[in-house]
Amino acid sequence: MSRIDDINALIGRADELLPKVQSDYESSLHDQSISSELKIDIKDLVGHLRSILDYLAHDIRDTHCPTANANNNLYFPIRNDRTNFDNY
């Protein structure tokens, strides 16, 4: 399977999960309570999106950084807040 196929599969999973997250989120606002299932669904959704960003980071390196060492770990940077991300 190619990287683009993996990205498209992850986008498909995120698209399937998003309406449920939206619906459960609206319910949680009404109920004033966040269910464990909603927390897990949000974690899964964000995990799919992060994986997409990681795949894209690899594509960017492959396309624009031909001398970069392909054996180095590469991932989309995650930081605690915007300032830390911008400074990274």
Side-chain angles (χ1 to χ4, degrees), residues 9-29:
L10 286 164
I11 290 171
R13 291 284 175 96
D15 283 344
E16 291 172 5
L17 192 53
L18 184 57
K20 182 177 184 320
V21 168
Q22 289 173 320
S23 174
D24 289 352
Y25 175 75
E26 291 297 325
S27 294
S28 74
L29 289 176

Side-chain angles (χ1 to χ4, degrees), residues 20-74:
K20 182 177 184 320
V21 168
Q22 289 173 320
S23 174
D24 289 352
Y25 175 75
E26 291 297 325
S27 294
S28 74
L29 289 176
H30 181 266
D31 297 340
Q32 297 290 300
S33 174
I34 302 171
S35 71
S36 294
E37 185 158 325
L38 175 57
K39 291 177 189 177
I40 292 168
D41 287 343
I42 290 170
K43 181 197 74 64
D44 289 346
L45 176 63
V46 172
H48 294 325
L49 298 176
R50 179 182 181 190
S51 293
I52 292 166
L53 293 172
D54 288 342
Y55 281 124
L56 293 173
H58 282 271
D59 284 345
I60 290 167
R61 180 187 59 195
D62 293 349
T63 303
H64 299 288
C65 306
T67 60
N69 185 346
N71 293 324
N72 288 346
N73 288 333
L74 178 67

